[in-house]
Amino acid sequence: MPGEPMQLPNEQQPQSSRGHGEHGLLQRIGARDREALRELYLLYRPRLARFLRRMSYRHDLVDELINDTLMVVWDKAQSFRGDSLVSTWIMGIAYRRGLNRLRTEHRAHERMLLPTIEEEPARHHADQADLAELLEQALASLSADQRAVLELTYYLGHSCREIAAIMRCPINTVKTRMFHGRNKLRKLVPVLAESTGGGPGASGATA
């Protein structure tokens, strides 16, 4: 309306503003407000979908895992004490739901590499379409934990400290997973080693 400040899309709002709004949603969910749960679902579904697809490489499970995650949020919202960002708490739930599902199904995460990719590294002058496909194949060869760290860092923008909270592991473990994941990508897709820009070939997030 005239005279009112323009509202930025959620991803562009200051972190403190987003966190305050999300904390309010959790409080409403803790009071069993289903409309608040719907709002949280709409807010988080895109990032949860991408994260869980990248982590699990089981596209058929993504919707189920998102629903599982939101059911845990519904059940546990009252127990959230604000010791971390709401996003860190929710992504931690999604990570554990995804990892538990993969373990239950005995998925061989590190064997998902296409047969020829290690024998035929990417050519240095691949075009963008080829590079995207090769990177996708290379990511599929990483462990679920390595993919999760890279996705949380480079796409979702979490710090090492936040990722450690999400994964419930020491910060050094996060850095180790990032180091090995990035090195493996560089070996499988050599053109990444020449990149000086952002993304998995760039330097990692700070703690």
Side-chain angles (χ1 to χ4, degrees):
M1 294 180 64
E4 292 184 354
M6 180 179 295
Q7 183 70 17
L8 295 173
N10 183 71
E11 290 301 324
Q12 299 176 25
Q13 292 179 32
Q15 190 176 63
S16 58
S17 175
R18 294 202 307 269
H20 179 74
E22 292 172 4
H23 192 272
L25 282 178
L26 274 191
Q27 290 179 326
R28 290 167 55 197
I29 292 170
R32 319 314 281 171
D33 183 337
R34 291 185 178 275
E35 176 60 22
L37 183 64
R38 187 188 74 83
E39 291 178 27
L40 193 75
Y41 172 84
L42 293 175
L43 183 63
Y44 270 87
R45 191 191 188 288
R47 73 185 87 173
L48 286 173
R50 178 181 166 113
F51 171 66
L52 290 166
R53 276 197 302 269
R54 288 290 197 186
M55 175 188 165
S56 70
Y57 267 69
R58 288 291 308 275
H59 293 201
D60 56 311
L61 294 178
V62 168
D63 286 336
E64 181 180 342
L65 290 171
I66 291 173
N67 289 338
D68 287 349
T69 298
L70 270 294
M71 284 305 300
V72 174
V73 171
W74 177 257
D75 291 336
K76 304 290 187 182
Q78 287 182 319
S79 67
F80 180 73
R81 301 183 181 280
D83 296 332
S84 67
L85 293 173
V86 173
S87 59
T88 301
W89 185 67
I90 292 177
M91 297 309 296
I93 294 170
Y95 167 74
R96 289 185 291 277
R97 298 302 294 181
L99 196 61
N100 287 343
R101 182 59 181 266
L102 292 174
R103 285 172 175 169
T104 299
E105 296 196 355
H106 304 286
R107 300 300 299 178
H109 312 143
E110 297 178 8
R111 297 181 184 178
M112 295 176 75
L113 178 63
L114 295 183
T116 59
I117 191 168
E118 285 194 278
E119 299 173 5
E120 301 178 13
R123 59 186 181 277
H124 287 255
H125 301 290
D127 60 31
Q128 288 298 315
D130 289 341
L131 179 58
E133 181 178 354
L134 289 164
L135 180 58
E136 193 72 16
Q137 294 174 0
L139 284 167
S141 75
L142 303 181
S143 70
D145 282 335
Q146 289 169 346
R147 286 196 299 268
V149 166
L150 292 174
E151 187 69 12
L152 288 166
T153 300
Y154 294 110
Y155 181 74
L156 295 175
H158 288 281
S159 68
C160 286
R161 189 177 303 278
E162 290 168 346
I163 296 170
I166 288 170
M167 304 181 101
R168 294 182 177 175
C169 67
I171 292 177
N172 283 342
T173 299
V174 172
K175 293 179 178 179
T176 297
R177 289 170 178 170
M178 188 185 301
F179 173 82
H180 288 299
R182 284 168 45 199
N183 277 355
K184 190 167 187 179
L185 288 182
R186 287 194 184 101
K187 290 177 182 177
L188 297 178
V189 189
V191 70
L192 292 178
E194 300 174 352
S195 173
T196 58
S203 61
T206 61

